[in-house]
């Protein structure tokens, strides 16, 4: 009795461990996005770039500290006294006064850097969210492929087992058994590739969402039909216009021009000499005893001490202007290519009607029944099963391809054009 209880406990433990190892969560895409917003480490790390930009603005507003200096007598030659502090000492306080709008320009440049950091964060958010969407849909369709392949494998394995029995008895040829074995091998090869893809996509979703369990997409074919029915959307020119208005990467390059102009303005202002203003007191060293003086100091502007940096900033403006032209052309061509890819894939998928898919399943079931009854030959059956296997995978890829193309347009245009 004790041994039985012990074995039951061990069996229960294995069941618990197995369930933990295969723990899954059914999550909708919206729930994945919520987890992504809260847990994604790349996104959380990039947020600190904005905080650091805020710190740079704070630093730009801080002035240099005033300077206090003093003097005491080291040796009095008249009375021959060392450190005659009682009769000879003085003190000065000076403050650097920025001229030419240096501080204002430095603060404006720091604020512009923060806007760049915010645009970088926005682009990272878009890129990671697009990666989340594509991975989610890839996982969904790989799971459908696996389900379809397992269904075919279930029947083919049973059929192969029956043929092996009959082959051993000499009722069917070994050639027929091998032909069925080849179909099973191909289906198992498909299954291995699909499982590898599923594992990869599950791993990617864990990293993106911070969810430790394997995620099973909470999506149905009716949901997919609704998404596909929402297409087409807009036209090529309209999408290009929206992309130029909203794409954070492109807006970043435009902002760089303003940023480089502010930097150039700041560098020019550094050529303006600053003023040192202060007050000094001298006990005995001046014309009068306990003399208080106004102190003014300014560098002599004999040459422009920041000329090289000014020229460098000017070239940066020209460089960024060229980059904007390149990014504009690049973005327009990317949208054009993505739109045309979507249009071709959507058109190909639209040619496959619901009745065509229903007919495929009717023919598939009919072939199975007729083969069992001996109404069709093994060669005809094997050829059909091989074409059915390939077409089934291709149809899932076509549906996924349309969604992925639309998601790429979302990523480029950065406006909700596809749901």
């Amino acid at each position: 009795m004790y041994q039985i209880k012990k074995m039951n406990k061990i069996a229960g433990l294995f069941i618990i461990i197995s369930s933990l190892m295969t723990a899954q969560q059914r999550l909708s895409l919206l729930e994945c996005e919520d987890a992504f917003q809260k847990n994604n480490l790349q996104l959380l790390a990039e947020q600190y770039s904005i905080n650091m930009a805020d710190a740079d603005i704070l630093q730009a507003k801080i002035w240099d500290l005033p300077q206090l200096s003093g003097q005491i007598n080291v040796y009095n030659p008249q009375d021959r006294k060392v450190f005659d502090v009682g009769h000879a000492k003085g003190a000065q306080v000076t403050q650097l006064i920025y001229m030419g709008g240096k501080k204002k320009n430095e603060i404006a440049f720091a604020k512009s850097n923060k806007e760049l950091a915010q645009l970088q964060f926005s682009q990272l958010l878009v890129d990671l969210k697009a990666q989340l969407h594509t991975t989610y849909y890839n996982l969904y369709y790989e799971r459908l492929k696996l389900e379809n392949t397992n269904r075919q494998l279930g029947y083919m394995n049973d059929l192969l087992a029956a043929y092996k029995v009959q082959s051993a008895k000499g009722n069917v040829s070994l050639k027929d058994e091998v032909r069925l074995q080849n179909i099973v091998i191909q289906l198992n090869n498909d299954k291995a590739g699909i499982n590898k893809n599923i594992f990869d996509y599950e791993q990617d979703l864990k990293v993106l969402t911070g969810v430790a369990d394997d995620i099973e997409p909470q999506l149905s074919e009716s949901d997919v039909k609704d998404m596909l029915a929402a297409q087409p959307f807009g036209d090529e020119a309209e999408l290009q216009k929206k992309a130029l208005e909203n794409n954070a990467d492109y807006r970043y390059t435009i902002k760089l021009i303003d940023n480089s102009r502010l930097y150039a303005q700041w560098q020019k202002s550094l050529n303006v000499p600053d003023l040192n203003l202060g007050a000094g007191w001298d006990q005995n060293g001046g014309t009068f005893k306990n003399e208080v003086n106004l102190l003014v100091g300014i560098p002599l502007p004999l040459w422009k001490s920041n000329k090289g940096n000014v020229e460098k900033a000017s070239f940066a403006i020209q460089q960024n202007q060229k980059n904007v032209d390149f990014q504009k052309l690049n973005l327009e061509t990317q949208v054009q290519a993505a739109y045309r890819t979507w249009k071709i894939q959507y058109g190909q998928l639209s040619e496959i009607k619901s009745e065509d898919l229903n007919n495929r399943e009717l023919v598939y079931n009919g072939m199975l029944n007729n083969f069992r009854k001996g109404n069709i030959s093994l060669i005809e059956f094997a050829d059909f099963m091989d074409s059915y296997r390939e077409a089934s995978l291709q149809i899932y890829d076509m549906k996924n391809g349309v969604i992925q193309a639309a998601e790429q347009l979302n990523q480029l245009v950065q406006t909700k054009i596809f749901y």
Side-chain angles (χ1 to χ4, degrees), residues 74-88:
V74 175
Y75 177 69
N76 181 348
Q78 182 176 341
D79 298 331
R80 296 183 181 181
K81 292 179 63 177
V82 178
F83 291 110
D84 190 5
V85 179
H87 294 89

mmCIF file of all heavy atoms in Angstrom, residues 74-88:
data_model
loop_
_atom_site.group_PDB
_atom_site.id
_atom_site.type_symbol
_atom_site.label_atom_id
_atom_site.label_comp_id
_atom_site.label_asym_id
_atom_site.label_seq_id
_atom_site.Cartn_x
_atom_site.Cartn_y
_atom_site.Cartn_z
ATOM 1 N N VAL A 74 52.273 87.833 2.470
ATOM 2 C CA VAL A 74 53.225 86.767 2.785
ATOM 3 C C VAL A 74 54.446 87.335 3.519
ATOM 4 O O VAL A 74 54.913 86.781 4.514
ATOM 5 C CB VAL A 74 53.659 86.027 1.498
ATOM 6 C CG1 VAL A 74 54.745 84.997 1.820
ATOM 7 C CG2 VAL A 74 52.462 85.351 0.839
ATOM 8 N N TYR A 75 54.937 88.533 3.035
ATOM 9 C CA TYR A 75 56.110 89.135 3.686
ATOM 10 C C TYR A 75 55.987 90.648 3.604
ATOM 11 O O TYR A 75 55.737 91.210 2.540
ATOM 12 C CB TYR A 75 57.402 88.687 3.018
ATOM 13 C CG TYR A 75 58.627 89.336 3.609
ATOM 14 C CD1 TYR A 75 59.031 89.011 4.903
ATOM 15 C CD2 TYR A 75 59.347 90.274 2.892
ATOM 16 C CE1 TYR A 75 60.146 89.612 5.446
ATOM 17 C CE2 TYR A 75 60.475 90.867 3.427
ATOM 18 C CZ TYR A 75 60.875 90.537 4.719
ATOM 19 O OH TYR A 75 61.981 91.150 5.263
ATOM 20 N N ASN A 76 56.105 91.327 4.731
ATOM 21 C CA ASN A 76 56.077 92.792 4.807
ATOM 22 C C ASN A 76 57.523 93.294 4.851
ATOM 23 O O ASN A 76 58.176 93.198 5.882
ATOM 24 C CB ASN A 76 55.319 93.210 6.060
ATOM 25 C CG ASN A 76 55.217 94.730 6.188
ATOM 26 O OD1 ASN A 76 55.880 95.481 5.478
ATOM 27 N ND2 ASN A 76 54.386 95.188 7.125
ATOM 28 N N PRO A 77 58.066 93.825 3.715
ATOM 29 C CA PRO A 77 59.476 94.244 3.698
ATOM 30 C C PRO A 77 59.740 95.475 4.566
ATOM 31 O O PRO A 77 60.853 95.688 5.042
ATOM 32 C CB PRO A 77 59.737 94.524 2.225
ATOM 33 C CG PRO A 77 58.398 94.870 1.661
ATOM 34 C CD PRO A 77 57.416 94.076 2.429
ATOM 35 N N GLN A 78 58.710 96.296 4.765
ATOM 36 C CA GLN A 78 58.910 97.515 5.556
ATOM 37 C C GLN A 78 59.107 97.177 7.037
ATOM 38 O O GLN A 78 60.048 97.657 7.673
ATOM 39 C CB GLN A 78 57.702 98.440 5.379
ATOM 40 C CG GLN A 78 57.841 99.766 6.133
ATOM 41 C CD GLN A 78 56.671 100.707 5.856
ATOM 42 O OE1 GLN A 78 55.966 100.541 4.871
ATOM 43 N NE2 GLN A 78 56.480 101.690 6.700
ATOM 44 N N ASP A 79 58.255 96.361 7.573
ATOM 45 C CA ASP A 79 58.386 95.971 8.979
ATOM 46 C C ASP A 79 59.100 94.628 9.159
ATOM 47 O O ASP A 79 59.267 94.148 10.288
ATOM 48 C CB ASP A 79 57.008 95.889 9.646
ATOM 49 C CG ASP A 79 56.306 97.236 9.648
ATOM 50 O OD1 ASP A 79 57.023 98.254 9.675
ATOM 51 O OD2 ASP A 79 55.050 97.248 9.601
ATOM 52 N N ARG A 80 59.478 94.039 8.013
ATOM 53 C CA ARG A 80 60.166 92.744 8.019
ATOM 54 C C ARG A 80 59.385 91.708 8.841
ATOM 55 O O ARG A 80 59.906 91.044 9.713
ATOM 56 C CB ARG A 80 61.592 92.887 8.579
ATOM 57 C CG ARG A 80 62.458 93.771 7.701
ATOM 58 C CD ARG A 80 63.855 93.833 8.234
ATOM 59 N NE ARG A 80 64.682 94.698 7.399
ATOM 60 C CZ ARG A 80 65.982 94.923 7.617
ATOM 61 N NH1 ARG A 80 66.598 94.347 8.653
ATOM 62 N NH2 ARG A 80 66.663 95.712 6.817
ATOM 63 N N LYS A 81 58.097 91.576 8.453
ATOM 64 C CA LYS A 81 57.235 90.603 9.107
ATOM 65 C C LYS A 81 56.698 89.610 8.066
ATOM 66 O O LYS A 81 56.393 89.991 6.928
ATOM 67 C CB LYS A 81 56.052 91.292 9.796
ATOM 68 C CG LYS A 81 56.453 92.141 10.999
ATOM 69 C CD LYS A 81 55.240 92.818 11.622
ATOM 70 C CE LYS A 81 54.257 91.787 12.156
ATOM 71 N NZ LYS A 81 53.124 92.460 12.831
ATOM 72 N N VAL A 82 56.616 88.373 8.462
ATOM 73 C CA VAL A 82 56.058 87.319 7.598
ATOM 74 C C VAL A 82 54.574 87.142 7.934
ATOM 75 O O VAL A 82 54.184 87.137 9.108
ATOM 76 C CB VAL A 82 56.824 85.995 7.802
ATOM 77 C CG1 VAL A 82 56.199 84.895 6.935
ATOM 78 C CG2 VAL A 82 58.290 86.164 7.462
ATOM 79 N N PHE A 83 53.758 87.011 6.892
ATOM 80 C CA PHE A 83 52.305 86.873 7.050
ATOM 81 C C PHE A 83 51.745 87.964 7.956
ATOM 82 O O PHE A 83 51.149 87.696 8.999
ATOM 83 C CB PHE A 83 51.931 85.476 7.621
ATOM 84 C CG PHE A 83 52.191 84.339 6.659
ATOM 85 C CD1 PHE A 83 53.209 83.446 6.895
ATOM 86 C CD2 PHE A 83 51.407 84.206 5.524
ATOM 87 C CE1 PHE A 83 53.450 82.417 6.018
ATOM 88 C CE2 PHE A 83 51.649 83.170 4.631
ATOM 89 C CZ PHE A 83 52.674 82.271 4.869
ATOM 90 N N ASP A 84 51.931 89.196 7.480
ATOM 91 C CA ASP A 84 51.402 90.351 8.219
ATOM 92 C C ASP A 84 49.924 90.518 7.852
ATOM 93 O O ASP A 84 49.521 91.460 7.173
ATOM 94 C CB ASP A 84 52.202 91.588 7.859
ATOM 95 C CG ASP A 84 51.866 92.756 8.774
ATOM 96 O OD1 ASP A 84 51.078 92.542 9.731
ATOM 97 O OD2 ASP A 84 52.354 93.863 8.515
ATOM 98 N N VAL A 85 49.120 89.558 8.302
ATOM 99 C CA VAL A 85 47.713 89.509 7.915
ATOM 100 C C VAL A 85 46.923 90.667 8.492
ATOM 101 O O VAL A 85 45.958 91.157 7.906
ATOM 102 C CB VAL A 85 47.088 88.161 8.363
ATOM 103 C CG1 VAL A 85 45.619 88.087 7.991
ATOM 104 C CG2 VAL A 85 47.854 87.001 7.737
ATOM 105 N N GLY A 86 47.332 91.154 9.598
ATOM 106 C CA GLY A 86 46.582 92.225 10.243
ATOM 107 C C GLY A 86 46.572 93.510 9.458
ATOM 108 O O GLY A 86 45.654 94.321 9.589
ATOM 109 N N HIS A 87 47.625 93.739 8.624
ATOM 110 C CA HIS A 87 47.703 95.016 7.913
ATOM 111 C C HIS A 87 47.503 94.883 6.397
ATOM 112 O O HIS A 87 47.369 95.905 5.719
ATOM 113 C CB HIS A 87 49.072 95.673 8.177
ATOM 114 C CG HIS A 87 49.271 96.074 9.591
ATOM 115 N ND1 HIS A 87 49.806 95.239 10.556
ATOM 116 C CD2 HIS A 87 48.973 97.237 10.241
ATOM 117 C CE1 HIS A 87 49.856 95.861 11.715
ATOM 118 N NE2 HIS A 87 49.335 97.092 11.558
ATOM 119 N N ALA A 88 47.511 93.652 5.850
ATOM 120 C CA ALA A 88 47.441 93.506 4.385
ATOM 121 C C ALA A 88 46.669 92.253 4.001
ATOM 122 O O ALA A 88 47.170 91.137 4.133
ATOM 123 C CB ALA A 88 48.854 93.452 3.798
#
